[in-house]
Amino acid sequence: MTSPSSGRPLRADALRNRAKVLAAAEEVFAVQGTSSSTEEVARKAGVGIGTVFRHFPTKESLLEAVLVALLERLAAEAGELRSSADPGAAFFGFFSRVVSQATAKQAVTEALAEAGIDARQATGRAGPGLRAALGVLLERAQEAGAVRADVGPGEVMALLAGMSYAAGRAGARDDVLRIAFDGLRPCGCDDQAAARR
């Protein structure tokens, strides 16, 4: 990680401050909305406003970094789940967690769009890692017979995008997830799915 102003590697204390600012920003924006001030983020992080601006010269750069951090965290979580003893539970559990975090991601994405910044820049940097890790989870769940064999990573990413958008707008997340999961399960799993309802 390098300093945006000097291009030199960040010292350990600067890295810690950057991480504190990102964590605080994610929490502040999730609870109070993306119109919250950078001063509020600095207060929550326990740093001065100058520290925030040294790492993130604009609020938009902070929002973009929050989105990248969220996607990177999801990719790391998916990577940790690939050795799960129950690949089906790992896949469906991860899918649910992505959808549950959709509101925060959507708020950040919309704030970037309002500022004239294409959020695809952020997802372009962090998205491939998430897609690759999700692909491994999908493949393992299919090998275990928990997910239909005719579903590919592209369909899963499209479902995640649609479900995330719907969860942020329409609610009824659990009911909609149940319906989507029933569609992802192989034929013959309908009885099992009905038993879980």
Side-chain angles (χ1 to χ4, degrees):
M1 182 71 54
T2 60
S3 166
S5 57
S6 69
R8 291 188 301 240
L10 292 175
R11 298 184 327 251
D13 61 331
L15 282 171
R16 281 191 300 275
N17 282 340
R18 184 181 193 283
K20 287 187 338 189
V21 169
L22 272 176
E26 187 172 338
E27 186 177 336
V28 167
F29 295 149
V31 173
Q32 300 175 20
T34 55
S35 62
S36 300
S37 69
T38 49
E39 288 82 3
E40 180 61 31
V41 171
R43 271 193 297 279
K44 183 75 176 172
V47 300
I49 191 66
T51 299
V52 174
F53 285 122
R54 261 193 303 284
H55 293 284
F56 308 102
T58 65
K59 185 174 180 182
E60 289 75 23
S61 65
L62 177 58
L63 286 164
E64 188 174 341
V66 166
L67 181 57
V68 169
L70 173 63
L71 294 174
E72 287 174 344
R73 193 169 58 250
L74 288 171
E77 184 181 330
E80 291 169 8
L81 290 171
R82 71 178 149 219
S83 59
S84 172
D86 186 344
F91 173 81
F92 289 113
F94 180 73
F95 195 112
S96 295
R97 279 189 292 287
V98 170
V99 172
S100 73
Q101 295 185 24
T103 303
K105 179 182 173 286
Q106 195 167 350
V108 171
T109 301
E110 288 173 0
L112 287 169
E114 287 172 13
I117 297 170
D118 189 349
R120 288 179 292 191
Q121 294 171 343
T123 56
R125 289 200 313 265
L130 177 57
R131 275 190 290 278
L134 183 59
V136 172
L137 287 182
L138 173 62
E139 185 177 327
R140 290 199 68 239
Q142 288 171 322
E143 289 170 357
V147 175
R148 296 166 39 169
D150 63 339
V151 174
E155 288 92 355
V156 172
M157 290 300 289
L159 265 175
L160 270 173
M163 297 289 298
S164 295
Y165 182 82
R169 299 261 187 238
R173 185 180 69 85
D174 292 337
D175 290 338
V176 175
L177 278 174
R178 181 180 47 77
I179 292 166
F181 289 174
D182 286 350
L184 285 167
R185 290 189 176 93
C187 295
C189 288
D190 295 335
D191 295 334
Q192 295 172 7
R196 280 193 287 271
R197 289 185 197 139

